[in-house]
């Protein structure tokens, strides 16, 4: 069965530190990849997405992610985090042939200390 | 414009009772999804509606769970004979074809 793994469950960083959150998926076909973010008390919102083309995608608020097909990975990065980045981050995958069934990872809670 | 609206925002029910959760998607969105978010479990896919096609029910955990979407708009998720393990946040999302999902704020269900 298709699955998504996020290896870091809880990450604590100081402001200005660099961030990388790992995401690996198990499906071998053509996929679409997403990162969603849930700020405290808010609903899930899209951070960035990859459908095709340049494997390095840039999203909102300075986030970026790199799709490495050979590693089945889509890691999220940010060079310098801010306290306002404190949130829960979810990686998600859907097959290109069935864009409706989005499979999410377990999520990573990021806590940024001021 | 209005986002995805879910009601109620919180629901406390006794074990064994039936509950109905409602989702109003963004107007014009053809696809509607239900997910369940449990503590430490991430988001679990439940069911997906796309236009007039038969829904993808592959994520429903048991036959106590059902959902319908009337008129291609509002959806209701029904849980019969609730159990304590059904306690979770139930999230609804909608989208236009391949566009990213827009999520509602969810319904927090507590089964006592």
């Amino acid at each position: 069965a298709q699955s998504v793994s996020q290896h870091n469950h809880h990450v604590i960083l100081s402001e200005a530190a660099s961030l990388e959150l790992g995401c690996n998926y198990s499906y071998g076909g053509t996929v679409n990849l997403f990162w969603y973010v849930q700020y405290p008390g808010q609903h899930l919102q899209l951070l960035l997405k990859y459908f095709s083309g340049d494997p390095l995608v840039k999203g909102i608020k300075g986030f970026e992610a790199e799709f490495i097909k050979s590693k089945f990975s889509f890691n999220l990065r940010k060079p310098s985090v801010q306290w306002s980045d404190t949130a829960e981050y979810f990686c998600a995958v859907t097959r290109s042939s069935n864009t409706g069934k989005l499979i999410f990872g377990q999520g990573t809670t990021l806590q940024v200390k001021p | 414009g209005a986002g995805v609206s879910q009601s109620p925002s919180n629901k406390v029910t006794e074990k064994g009772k039936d509950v109905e959760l409602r989702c109003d998607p963004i107007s014009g969105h053809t696809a509607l999804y239900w997910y369940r978010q449990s503590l430490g479990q991430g988001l679990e896919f439940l069911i997906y509606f796309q236009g007039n096609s038969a829904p993808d029910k592959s994520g429903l955990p048991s036959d106590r769970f059902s959902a319908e979407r009337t008129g291609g708009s509002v959806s209701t998720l029904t849980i019969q004979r609730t159990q304590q393990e059904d306690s979770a946040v139930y999230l609804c999302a909608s989208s236009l074809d391949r566009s990213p999902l827009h999520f509602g704020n969810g319904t927090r269900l507590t089964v006592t």
Side-chain angles (χ1 to χ4, degrees), chain A residues 71-109:
Chain A
K71 295 185 178 180
F72 298 89
S73 70
F74 190 56
N75 292 356
L76 181 71
R77 299 194 294 248
K78 185 170 183 178
S80 176
V81 294
Q82 301 173 314
W83 175 78
S84 59
D85 293 325
T86 295
E88 191 160 14
Y89 293 81
F90 294 91
C91 180
V93 174
T94 183
R95 290 184 294 176
S96 297
S97 61
N98 182 3
T99 55
K101 192 171 178 178
L102 201 60
I103 305 300
F104 284 84
Q106 290 189 322
T108 297
T109 301

Side-chain angles (χ1 to χ4, degrees), chain A residues 36 38 43 46 90 100-102, chain B residues 33 35 37 58 100-101 105:
Chain A
Y36 279 82
Q38 188 171 27
H43 60 270
L46 182 69
F90 294 91
K101 192 171 178 178
L102 201 60
Chain B
Y33 316 77
Y35 285 85
Q37 187 175 20
S58 59
L101 275 61
N105 285 331

